[in-house]
Amino acid sequence: MSPDGDPLLSVEAAQAHAVAPVRSTGVERVGVGEALGRVLGEEVRAPADVPPHDNSAMDGYAVRAADLAAGRLELTVIGEVAAGYVALRALGAGEAYQIMTGAPIPPGADAVVMVESTERTGDRVRIGKPAQAGEHIRGRGEDIRAGAVVLGRGVTLGPAELGVLASVRRARVLVARRPMVAVLATGDELRDVDEPLDPGAIPDTNSYALAALVRAAGGVPCVAPIVRDDPARIRAAIEAARSADLIVSSGGVSVGEHDHVKAVLAELGAELSLWRVNMKPGKPVAIARLGDVPYFGLPGNPVSSMVSFLLFVRPAIRTALGCAQPFDLPRVQVVLDGPVRARGERRSYLRARVQAGADGHLHATVMPHQGSHVLTSMVGANGLVILEPGTHDLAAGAAATALLIGSV
Ligand code: AMP
Ligand code: MG
């Protein structure tokens, strides 16, 4: 533990502490239809070529290119092949099959002429021009070759990945088990949303925002009842949460009279790796290990708890899931749309709205109220503009770095 007065730890060093004790949660098998957003826990290979047969890219006629090259432009139509069916026999000299998009190329045919270049009369078809061998044919295995790795372990499954899994006929896949994340809000002042607010009380917002962040990161939140600022109750709540894969608490990690979380963690024998990070908002963050369980004691201020969750807890959850890239929030260059005042000696993360500008650059509008208690500054914020310590005031039009926390 860094005693008071020690230099503050950099965000990057704190992130390394945050993911170091995290272990994989293991895998489970799910149906491909239920796998959206899950992290793949196996390497998937194609058992066969995709597509499985040469097939037509057009509605038209399957022909022998040599017939047309030899000047034989009127052919006898011997049948039709629709998608899902196969030709009854091979194509002979002077013959054509009417064919639909996706239908297998009949044996003997080596090109498809699109219907727009043909003229049909009874069982005869006139072809307007010669065709190259292979024309308008989608080759077997053109998308995926049998035996090829189509998706690697650690990939997050989106719509395209699910489609590809179906294309290699994987009905069920191994995915990382979602980590159970205990969420504890501490504070005598806190009341649940549907409880009356007696004088001095405020609604507990962190339980809801943090549970949602857990879900968005791929975990399963397990929200505990609000914990009062009493060491015995905090201890009981933390003990009850030890069956989770990770524990996240908010509040009670500062240096106030009623901030008991660190002391209770110490009493429980937790290894506390740090609790002061060079960032604003969110300086007091307790990153610890309670037995095998990683513990994150986040600050109580609603914005601080969300920002420190995104920087420390989200990567820990992504690590537990076996993600190839646990630090997956992208850093981008932005143009500031308004002036930004320098914020002192700690690294600042300013809530901002990042949008693509007509000039092709990303533009950031920093939210006017940056107080760590102003939760509305997170609404609509899809980026955190990063100001390093010692940064001077920045004018509108200046370049800055932003961490994207939502889609642009
Ligand atoms: P603390 O970190 O416990 O000193 O709390 C810092 C500030 O955050 C105080 O103003 C608390 O009232 C507020 N706060 C702490 N926990 C929550 C919570 N769960 N929901 C809303 N505000 C909170
Ligand atoms: Mg408190």
Side-chain angles (χ1 to χ4, degrees), residues 142-231:
E142 209 175 282
D143 190 354
I144 305 168
R145 288 265 168 227
V149 174
V150 284
L151 293 170
R153 199 187 290 265
V155 166
T156 302
L157 299 174
E161 286 76 11
L162 299 188
V164 165
L165 286 171
S167 80
V168 298
R169 308 191 56 232
R170 290 299 300 264
R172 295 173 73 72
V173 277
L174 282 182
V175 295
R177 183 174 68 75
R178 288 194 185 100
M180 289 286 290
V181 182
V183 177
L184 314 178
T186 71
D188 281 351
E189 73 280 31
L190 304 177
R191 302 289 180 273
D192 204 349
V193 275
D194 50 5
E195 287 182 304
L197 284 189
D198 36 320
I202 59 166
D204 162 26
T205 61
N206 292 351
S207 289
Y208 292 92
L210 294 176
L213 285 170
V214 167
R215 224 181 274 285
V220 179
C222 184
V223 180
I226 294 165
V227 188
R228 297 190 69 89
D229 287 318
D230 164 62

